[in-house]
Amino acid sequence: QVHLAESGGGLVRAGGSLRLSCAASGSIFGRNAMGWYRQAPGKLRELVAVITIGGPTNYAGSVKGRFTISRDNAKNTVYLQMDSLKPEDTAVYYCNAGDLLTKPGPYWGQGTQVTVSS
């Protein structure tokens, strides 16, 4: 069975930091790309950051310079370090596995809530 399990969300004040983790099980970590998407109430799900096995990354312009994506293949885990958080970062963050840096693949986690207070 294939699973992506997110953790690390929570409530933080503006300017604070959080680190999200996504633990993968099954064969999906063999996909070329894994990353994070987020969805705020009333808005479409959007790309946050994606990383490939080979190293190239793709970040949303709104998070570039503040968020860092990384992965540990030995632990089948991908991380999102979020610094200098802003209230507009508030959303449910979903882990995703696929093949492209620019579009999500078919595998999703359940999501973890990130709330940034002002």
Side-chain angles (χ1 to χ4, degrees):
Q1 190 173 7
V2 174
H3 288 291
L4 295 172
E6 302 97 336
S7 63
L11 175 64
V12 66
R13 290 186 295 176
S17 297
L18 288 171
R19 188 166 81 149
L20 306 183
S21 299
C22 175
S25 62
S27 63
I28 53 177
F29 207 73
R31 293 281 190 162
N32 187 54
M34 293 189 66
W36 296 90
Y37 293 72
R38 68 187 181 188
Q39 188 165 23
K43 295 188 178 295
L44 297 174
R45 192 169 298 186
E46 64 178 356
L47 183 149
V48 179
V50 183
I51 188 169
T52 65
I53 293 175
T57 57
N58 185 29
Y59 291 92
S62 59
V63 308
K64 191 175 182 179
R66 299 188 297 119
F67 292 9
T68 303
I69 189 169
S70 61
R71 64 192 294 172
D72 185 338
N73 290 336
K75 296 181 178 180
N76 291 332
T77 302
V78 62
Y79 305 95
L80 185 68
Q81 178 66 44
M82 304 185 294
D83 298 318
S84 301
L85 282 161
K86 304 175 180 179
E88 51 261 47
D89 296 318
T90 295
V92 177
Y93 284 69
Y94 297 91
C95 186
N96 177 266
D99 296 317
L100 301 174
L101 282 170
T102 56
K103 295 180 65 177
Y107 304 107
W108 294 95
Q110 289 293 111
T112 185
Q113 177 71 48
V114 171
T115 302
V116 184
S117 64
S118 59

